[in-house]
Amino acid sequence: MPYGDAMNARVRSEERRAEIVQAALEVIAERGYRGASLAAVAERVGLTQQGLLHYFPTKDALLVAVLEDRDRWDAMPNTRLRVELIASIVEYNAMRPAIIQTFSALLGESVTEGHPAREYFTERYTRVRSNLAEVLRTEYGERLPSGLTPERAAPLLVAIMDGLQYQWLLDPESVDMPGAFRDFLTLLGENRQHPA
Amino acid sequence: MPYGDAMNARVRSEERRAEIVQAALEVIAERGYRGASLAAVAERVGLTQQGLLHYFPTKDALLVAVLEDRDRWDAMPNTRLRVELIASIVEYNAMRPAIIQTFSALLGESVTEGHPAREYFTERYTRVRSNLAEVLRTEYGERLPSGLTPERAAPLLVAIMDGLQYQWLLDPESVDMPGAFRDFLTLLGENRQHPA
């Protein structure tokens, strides 16, 4: 096979993998991970189940790819991140309900026994709390205007983001997720630094 | 059948139903609702699947009983509830991880397509936000010390409770759920009313 054809085959294979991961995100959003089947993912990309297994030999391998995909586009440039940018992320999330639905469903399932995403979420939250504490320290120093330390404020910031997502996914007409998140930032001390 | 026996039969039937609902809570905590099977619930209470169907004809009927059960023990005496009592509820929740796990798993699943608990959670959150706004109004009037209206603070209170539950279930050693919730109450204005 000429070199160019091998290149093309590799590119096509990468594209196919990306399509499969996208289809898996959709199927998990619709049915959860335990309710998702490889057959449903295969059907969505026009493959046989056997064809899908060529790319991902197990359902768990496909889940790992889904989670790694999130880490790639969610990677926070933590040294430069400012609190204001976190509000922008929440605004961006409000424009992509499908992805938020996938990860809210996975987070919910992850607390059940022996779930394959449990370790991922546990480690992710440890890392995110630590990163957010650094962001808050950079912005406010050792005490936020509200009096909390960055380490005590960080889990609240994570909880607000996750908790608002559930209320917003269930009832987008009633819940203004980005507005509520900004209210929380006001509580943390944003407005006291920049009084209106 | 003598009257006393009929009474006993009714009591036994009620007890059996309560046992089945308890078993369903456990199975949902372990596997989620979509991963739960009537066979697993039946096995846990020593019934055949056919015997279980006598009490609950479908899996959805059993879910309804689980959700009604929660509403019974979670009923908030909303006219008298004070903010301080909400902190006590969070402390109580930290002593019953199994129940919190069941409902965190169900909340997560409820955002997937056509989930039988979706309407329940949507209505529940509408009601809980409204009740909590009244609690905050009773405590603080039309503006909280932080400047938020009761209606804008209520979804944050719900989000913090739900979000902290996930972090705590995943990593109970690292996350002090009741302490973090009290930190949030401080942000809302508790301490500014009663300065240390």
Side-chain angles (χ1 to χ4, degrees), chain B:
Chain B
M1 176 156 70
Y3 180 72
D5 284 3
M7 275 288 281
N8 286 342
R10 191 146 62 233
V11 168
R12 276 198 305 276
S13 169
E14 287 294 312
E15 282 172 358
R16 215 357 119 79
R17 280 180 65 94
E19 277 174 34
I20 295 167
V21 168
Q22 177 59 35
L25 278 165
E26 292 168 14
V27 171
I28 293 169
E30 288 166 17
R31 303 275 309 161
Y33 178 70
R34 284 215 168 96
S37 69
L38 286 179
V41 175
E43 192 189 342
R44 199 160 299 211
V45 292
L47 279 172
T48 62
Q49 198 169 335
Q50 204 52 42
L52 180 67
L53 294 176
H54 171 71
Y55 294 92
F56 297 99
T58 64
K59 193 174 148 186
D60 279 12
L62 183 50
L63 179 63
V64 167
V66 164
L67 299 175
E68 282 174 351
D69 199 49
R70 166 162 205 178
D71 282 339
R72 201 156 44 238
W73 46 250
D74 252 12
M76 283 191 182
N78 62 36
T79 50
R80 298 298 188 85
L81 190 65
R82 301 296 298 240
V83 169
E84 180 55 32
L85 189 54
I86 304 174
S88 310
I89 293 173
V90 174
E91 268 158 32
Y92 175 48
N93 284 343
M95 294 185 292
R96 46 177 202 171
I99 289 283
I100 300 307
Q101 184 172 324
T102 303
F103 283 90
S104 295
L106 277 176
L107 173 60
E109 274 184 280
S110 75
V111 305
T112 60
E113 308 293 322
H115 194 279
R118 182 177 182 123
E119 194 180 330
Y120 167 84
F121 277 110
T122 305
E123 286 173 2
R124 183 169 198 277
Y125 280 130
T126 301
R127 195 171 67 245
V128 168
R129 281 192 296 265
S130 164
N131 287 351
L132 289 177
E134 283 316 304
V135 170
L136 292 167
R137 178 167 283 109
T138 303
E139 187 110 5
Y140 296 115
E142 289 306 317
R143 291 274 169 187
L144 277 70
S146 53
L148 291 180
T149 61
E151 275 68 26
R152 283 171 65 185
L156 300 180
L157 204 48
V158 178
I160 278 286
M161 283 193 269
D162 286 337
L164 286 176
Q165 285 174 5
Y166 289 107
Q167 292 180 64
W168 169 71
L169 286 168
L170 289 169
D171 198 351
E173 301 299 311
S174 305
V175 177
D176 170 12
M177 179 168 74
F181 186 72
R182 285 193 180 275
D183 283 345
F184 177 72
L185 290 184
T186 304
L187 289 183
L188 269 189
E190 270 302 84
N191 276 9
R192 264 158 271 154
Q193 284 220 326
H194 316 286

Side-chain angles (χ1 to χ4, degrees), chain A residues 118 129 152 167 169 183, chain B residues 118 129 152 169 183:
Chain A
R118 183 179 181 120
R129 281 192 297 265
R152 283 172 64 185
Q167 291 180 64
L169 286 168
D183 283 344
Chain B
R118 182 177 182 123
R129 281 192 296 265
R152 283 171 65 185
L169 286 168
D183 283 345

Side-chain angles (χ1 to χ4, degrees), chain A residues 29-186:
Chain A
E30 288 167 18
R31 302 276 309 161
Y33 178 70
R34 284 217 169 95
S37 68
L38 286 179
V41 175
E43 192 189 342
R44 199 159 299 210
V45 292
L47 279 172
T48 61
Q49 199 169 332
Q50 204 52 42
L52 180 67
L53 294 176
H54 171 72
Y55 294 92
F56 297 99
T58 64
K59 194 174 147 187
D60 279 11
L62 183 50
L63 179 62
V64 167
V66 164
L67 299 175
E68 283 174 350
D69 200 49
R70 166 162 205 178
D71 282 339
R72 201 156 44 237
W73 47 251
D74 252 13
M76 284 192 182
N78 62 36
T79 51
R80 298 298 189 85
L81 190 64
R82 300 297 299 242
V83 169
E84 181 55 32
L85 188 54
I86 304 174
S88 309
I89 292 172
V90 174
E91 268 159 32
Y92 174 49
N93 284 344
M95 294 184 292
R96 48 178 200 170
I99 290 283
I100 299 307
Q101 185 171 324
T102 303
F103 283 91
S104 296
L106 277 176
L107 173 60
E109 274 184 283
S110 75
V111 305
T112 60
E113 309 291 324
H115 195 279
R118 183 179 181 120
E119 194 181 330
Y120 168 83
F121 278 110
T122 305
E123 287 173 2
R124 183 169 199 277
Y125 280 131
T126 300
R127 194 171 67 243
V128 168
R129 281 192 297 265
S130 164
N131 287 351
L132 288 177
E134 283 316 303
V135 170
L136 292 167
R137 179 166 283 109
T138 303
E139 187 110 4
Y140 295 115
E142 289 306 318
R143 291 274 168 187
L144 277 71
S146 53
L148 291 180
T149 61
E151 276 68 26
R152 283 172 64 185
L156 300 180
L157 204 49
V158 178
I160 279 285
M161 283 192 268
D162 287 338
L164 286 176
Q165 285 175 3
Y166 288 107
Q167 291 180 64
W168 169 72
L169 286 168
L170 289 169
D171 197 351
E173 302 299 312
S174 305
V175 177
D176 170 12
M177 179 168 73
F181 185 72
R182 286 194 179 273
D183 283 344
F184 177 73
L185 290 184
T186 304

